[in-house]
Amino acid sequence: MSGRSILVIEDIDCSIELENRDSKSQPWNHGNNKFSAIIISVISKKCHYKLTLSGLLNFIDGLWSCCGDGRINIFTTDHRERLDPTLLRPGRMDMHICMSYCTISEFKQLAFNNLGLRHHCLFEQIERLIKKVEVTPAEVAEELMKINDPEGSLQGLFELSSRQDN
């Protein structure tokens, strides 16, 4: 990986069977190397490499980490608890960001960022709706950006919640 680049491994808990080494079921104790293999396609070279947990850890902060400048590694997961603690420690993962459903304060920030609104007569209704309906900030932002009319954008949030009920 060259310097000034970004590596993204989505759903790392599914991509590599990086089972927590503290867990009771330890596949590496059963003569099973399946847990340590992931096939990564390198499109430019059309070849495949196998990556182990040890290899990934070395890549993140071992010898490979000194090669290149300004590299960012991003790992996503829906199950942080499944990841080995050695992968989560500071220096390997310096920042952990939980991207959950939209909260009222996030909605207000999105309304200000997208519509320039700090207050609106529909905010109270929308706040009650946000407490009931699980909607991501991305879904809210998408709805707020659809049209330039603040009233219409906010009304769209009510339609978004009714689509989710179906």
Side-chain angles (χ1 to χ4, degrees), residues 64-165:
W64 292 106
S65 67
C66 65
C67 303
D69 185 31
R71 189 178 66 225
I72 298 173
N73 300 318
I74 299 173
F75 304 102
T76 69
T77 182
D78 290 332
H79 303 282
R80 184 174 180 239
E81 70 282 357
R82 292 183 188 170
L83 299 178
D84 192 294
T86 59
L87 188 61
L88 297 171
R89 76 163 177 77
R92 290 189 176 130
M93 291 192 187
D94 294 324
M95 186 177 291
H96 300 247
I97 301 171
C98 177
M99 300 177 76
S100 63
Y101 294 110
C102 194
T103 64
I104 293 167
S105 63
E106 289 169 333
F107 160 71
K108 288 180 177 179
Q109 187 65 52
L110 289 168
F112 178 73
N113 290 349
N114 291 287
L115 304 172
L117 297 176
R118 291 206 186 273
H119 301 287
H120 191 278
C121 61
L122 292 175
F123 274 20
E124 193 174 310
Q125 288 175 280
I126 292 170
E127 289 173 14
R128 283 194 301 269
L129 188 64
I130 286 175
K131 289 179 182 178
K132 293 178 188 174
V133 178
E134 292 181 335
V135 61
T136 66
E139 291 172 310
V140 171
E142 181 182 7
E143 200 59 47
L144 295 177
M145 291 187 293
K146 279 186 179 177
I147 55 177
N148 289 332
D149 172 42
E151 187 81 23
S153 292
L154 294 174
Q155 286 292 338
L157 292 176
F158 293 104
E159 294 169 20
L160 175 66
S161 69
S162 66
R163 287 192 302 258
Q164 284 192 347
D165 290 338

